[in-house]
Amino acid sequence: MGKLSLQLPDMKKLNEMTIEEAARALRAREYSVQDLWDACIKAIHENNPKLNAYLEIFPADTAAVAAAQKRIDTEGEKAPLLCGIPLAIKDNILIEGKIASAASKMLENYRATYDATVVKKLKETGALFLGRTNMDEFAMGSSTEHSAFGKTLNPHDTTRVPGGSSGGSAAAVAAHLAIAALGSDTGGSIRQPAALTGLVGLKPTYGAVSRSGLIAMGSSLDQIGPLTKTVADARILYEAIRGKDVLDSTTIPDGLYKTAKPVKHLRIGVPKDLLKEGIDEDVRKTFDVMLEKLMKAGHTLVDIELPTSAHALAAYYVIMPAEVSTNLARLDGIRYGHFSRGDTLLDDYINSRTEGFGEETRRRILLGTFVLSSGYIDAYYRKADAARAILRKEYDDSFTKVDVITFPTTLSPAFKFGDKGDPLSMYLEDIFTVTANLTGMPAISVPMGNVKRDGKDLPVGIHFTAPHQGEEILFAIGAAVEKI
Amino acid sequence: MATIDDVKKLAALARMRVGDAELAKFTSEFDAILAYVGQLEQLNLPKDLKAGKPPVRNVMREDGEPHKGGTYTEKLAEQFSAREGNALSVKQIIQHGKAFASAPRYEKTK
């Protein structure tokens, strides 16, 4: 008689588990922390050469693995849910002693001198880090095609993009090369890749999560957040990283905004005017079917109007490059980063920046320099800032009538590499997601189904925005979508 | 309408060099992007925008205990483009009777 396999054929592989499942299995002593780590590393070695989700795979931190195991053994159920869970971290989040390149030649050899606050918090829970994931350079892009170290492929169809800028984190989780991951979101960089790879992606309320140790792109827009397989996992990761931080004065205390608690049946605002054109027919159909099902489940659909949303992307493409050109001015090669010597100090700066930055980064720096230059600042920057205020007011007003506002996360499913060659068509990828960054409100993308392209099932996402500090409402509606 | 000269000036302001081929490309792309963001012109702005602005709140805090001197020195200095001991070494930019552009060539110390 042959030896019985301990693993049933329909049983999930370790690396395919969610945070919840893995935490339960570790506590039940079904597997060890080392087993879980090894399963993820094995999957990475098998699939990362094809997908390029990770830029670097970290060697096992044996002390951290042992400490996590010991904590589970001694604390049992009281151990944090993330204890011993292997995570992927976007390459713009600092882990002390590790390279953090933001997928740029400029920071190719930059080694972080301290932990980002989110990393410090995750280390305290006993979470483990598998490696740093690919992204569009300095988080500027919606496809990872702008990475200085090669594009990342979408695991659902490798001829297509995984979205961006957190495309490496998304591909890593979608292909089960990590249990979950952190990304950053300035205009949709967590939610759009989550939608295109069939994951849950959360952009928290501006100020909910510390930006200390996040390589800055647009400081008034950036937030770190989770990319996970389920809404429950997104909540676990979000709860672990959030909180006021003395190292980031834009972080906010609990209860700063008066937000209602989620109720069983939610009022869902649908801005129909915005959905009239531009959306792929199959995406629209999937979205309408989901709304119908949510209504049947007892939620209410409410027509709302957000007229300024039509101008949100235009405002974003003024404010964001302005902040990019300001933030990236610090990168001159002198104190750290790519350095190229010239005859004068000015030549040092110019050579280092010209060689260090990729095309899209330079484009946005130039655009930002333009909109901030005297003579244009009133026409562009001040106008965009005003549009941002109006947009926020419109959202605030709508939230007196509804609990969440919904639309599809993206106009279409994942596109093919090279399909969005001109910058403007790539920028339009963010048309729905940018509003949450401009208003500072939390937003989530949850898988709503698949559409077929070239015989392959491609995931698409439904997007919900809640009032400031309304993450619990997002988790409630997200869970409702998952149940359908 | 952006011109090649405009983009050249912006590059100089941003401390970057843009090659001739890229200059033409960036200039035409700028036109498309600026035409798109130009739609903001159509917006009718109310006089009072306070309603939509995030509330202003005091974020001052007491100074905490600083970390021990020297804790990060070596880690930071390791990343310098050139160093002398623990100091960051840069080109001399001011000399008696000499202008910025004619500053002496820099000699790397390490």
Side-chain angles (χ1 to χ4, degrees):
Chain A
M1 198 171 139
K3 197 179 166 189
L4 278 173
S5 168
L6 282 175
Q7 196 162 326
L8 297 170
D10 60 345
M11 211 177 211
K12 268 186 183 175
K13 286 182 188 164
L14 271 62
N15 55 302
E16 293 175 358
M17 290 195 284
T18 64
I19 296 173
E20 274 191 314
E21 290 166 345
R24 189 206 57 77
L26 289 174
R27 278 160 182 67
R29 311 288 194 276
E30 288 168 17
Y31 307 102
S32 68
V33 173
Q34 187 69 53
D35 292 338
L36 188 59
W37 172 272
D38 290 344
C40 290
I41 290 291
K42 183 169 172 272
I44 292 172
H45 285 305
E46 281 169 9
N47 294 308
N48 196 57
K50 185 174 72 176
L51 295 174
N52 197 32
Y54 286 91
L55 291 177
E56 183 185 354
I57 302 146
F58 300 147
D61 182 344
T62 47
V65 171
Q69 186 64 58
K70 193 178 169 197
R71 198 161 169 191
I72 290 168
D73 290 344
T74 53
E75 294 180 27
E77 289 300 326
K78 283 185 186 157
L81 285 168
L82 285 168
C83 190
I85 304 292
L87 303 173
I89 305 292
K90 190 175 178 179
D91 192 31
N92 60 352
I93 299 172
L94 271 50
I95 305 175
E96 189 181 347
K98 306 285 187 198
I99 286 178
S101 80
S104 177
K105 292 268 177 214
M106 177 58 92
L107 295 176
E108 193 173 7
N109 299 309
Y110 169 71
R111 215 166 266 282
T113 54
Y114 63 99
D115 278 334
T117 297
V118 292
V119 166
K120 192 166 160 275
K121 282 172 177 274
L122 288 177
K123 282 182 176 175
E124 283 164 6
T125 69
L128 307 171
F129 306 125
L130 289 159
R132 54 189 177 93
T133 52
N134 199 13
M135 55 186 281
D136 288 292
E137 184 181 8
F138 288 105
M140 296 182 216
S142 308
S143 67
T144 73
E145 289 168 295
H146 296 311
S147 165
F149 308 111
K151 61 198 181 192
T152 296
L153 278 51
N154 189 325
H156 294 273
D157 177 351
T158 51
T159 66
R160 292 174 189 271
V161 304
S165 64
S166 311
S169 286
V173 181
H176 304 295
L177 312 187
I179 304 296
L182 283 189
S184 67
D185 191 314
T186 306
S189 282
I190 289 174
R191 292 160 286 152
Q192 184 253 16
L196 302 190
T197 56
L199 298 176
V200 174
L202 172 76
K203 196 285 290 182
T205 304
Y206 182 77
V209 177
S210 171
R211 291 179 295 112
S212 174
L214 170 70
I215 296 174
M217 177 185 162
S219 298
S220 77
L221 306 155
D222 296 340
Q223 272 291 283
I224 296 171
L227 286 124
T228 56
K229 295 170 191 173
T230 63
V231 172
D233 278 8
R235 187 165 189 257
I236 293 167
L237 207 40
Y238 166 69
E239 284 296 332
I241 59 173
R242 71 179 200 90
K244 199 164 161 48
D245 180 17
V246 290
L247 299 176
D248 175 3
S249 62
T250 63
T251 51
I252 54 176
D254 285 346
L256 181 69
Y257 297 92
K258 302 287 167 259
T259 303
K261 292 229 160 59
V263 288
K264 196 177 170 200
H265 295 128
L266 295 161
R267 296 165 300 166
I268 303 169
V270 187
K272 289 224 166 110
D273 284 349
L274 294 179
L275 307 175
K276 273 185 188 151
E277 51 191 49
I279 302 173
D280 173 276
E281 209 174 297
D282 293 334
V283 173
R284 182 63 209 253
K285 222 177 273 171
T286 315
F287 178 70
D288 288 342
V289 167
M290 179 53 76
L291 289 187
E292 188 73 27
K293 287 178 178 171
L294 284 169
M295 206 164 67
K296 279 186 183 152
H299 305 285
T300 316
L301 302 184
V302 182
D303 284 345
I304 54 161
E305 283 181 14
L306 297 165
T308 308
S309 283
H311 303 289
L313 191 71
Y316 176 78
Y317 269 92
V318 172
I319 291 167
M320 177 273 296
E323 295 187 11
V324 161
S325 74
T326 311
N327 270 325
L328 271 54
R330 79 190 68 172
L331 296 162
D332 54 18
I334 302 292
R335 288 153 301 151
Y336 54 88
H338 178 81
F339 179 67
S340 177
R341 185 167 298 111
D343 285 340
T344 66
L345 186 64
L346 182 63
D347 289 336
D348 286 357
Y349 296 153
I350 291 174
N351 290 353
S352 302
R353 288 169 64 80
T354 303
E355 292 172 21
F357 292 138
E359 184 182 317
E360 181 61 21
T361 304
R362 281 181 291 140
R363 183 180 291 115
R364 295 203 198 183
I365 291 173
L366 293 174
L367 206 54
T369 310
F370 175 77
V371 298
L372 289 176
S373 56
S374 80
Y376 293 104
I377 192 159
D378 283 324
Y380 291 101
Y381 187 78
R382 297 219 167 93
K383 199 99 185 180
D385 196 40
R388 186 179 190 176
I390 301 169
L391 187 71
R392 188 175 157 131
K393 174 85 170 54
E394 282 176 8
Y395 265 75
D396 277 338
D397 290 347
S398 291
F399 281 129
T400 60
K401 288 174 264 172
V402 299
D403 301 303
V404 287
I405 291 170
T406 191
F407 29 77
T409 311
T410 57
L411 296 169
S412 59
F415 52 91
K416 294 210 168 193
F417 289 104
D419 263 8
K420 310 231 180 228
D422 75 292
L424 196 54
S425 70
M426 185 75 88
Y427 297 170
L428 286 167
E429 266 297 292
D430 295 333
I431 195 152
F432 285 143
T433 48
V434 292
T435 49
N437 302 81
L438 288 169
T439 62
M441 289 163 183
I444 198 167
S445 177
V446 185
M448 65 170 174
N450 292 314
V451 301
K452 243 191 177 48
R453 289 289 182 280
D454 306 332
K456 288 187 174 149
D457 283 326
L458 300 178
V460 285
I462 185 166
H463 185 280
F464 297 98
T465 309
H468 292 95
Q469 293 189 317
E471 277 83 355
E472 283 302 324
I473 304 173
L474 296 179
F475 297 135
I477 190 71
V481 169
E482 276 181 338
K483 264 190 214 153
I484 286 167
Chain B
M1 198 66 179
T3 65
I4 284 190
D5 265 358
D6 289 339
V7 178
K8 249 186 200 167
K9 279 179 195 155
L10 291 172
L13 279 169
R15 304 285 187 258
M16 295 189 302
R17 200 178 299 113
V18 180
D20 287 343
E22 250 188 354
L23 265 178
K25 186 166 174 262
F26 277 160
T27 307
S28 75
E29 286 167 355
F30 263 37
D31 278 341
I33 297 166
L34 294 177
Y36 182 79
V37 300
Q39 62 172 276
L40 290 172
E41 286 300 315
Q42 303 157 11
L43 265 183
N44 285 321
L45 299 178
K47 279 196 179 129
D48 179 22
L49 288 168
K50 272 186 196 154
K53 294 272 184 189
V56 178
R57 62 206 158 77
N58 187 8
V59 294
M60 294 290 279
R61 63 175 172 84
E62 292 298 314
D63 283 344
E65 288 301 311
H67 59 76
K68 204 172 155 228
T71 310
Y72 295 101
T73 307
E74 184 52 35
K75 283 181 196 168
L76 291 169
E78 267 177 10
Q79 319 242 7
F80 292 168
S81 55
R83 65 187 278 194
E84 284 176 47
N86 281 339
L88 168 62
S89 178
V90 293
K91 285 191 176 81
Q92 191 173 358
I93 55 167
I94 299 172
Q95 271 197 321
H96 291 294
K98 287 195 177 177
F100 169 77
S102 60
R105 286 181 73 89
Y106 174 75
E107 297 299 326
K108 197 178 180 189
T109 54
K110 189 189 166 184

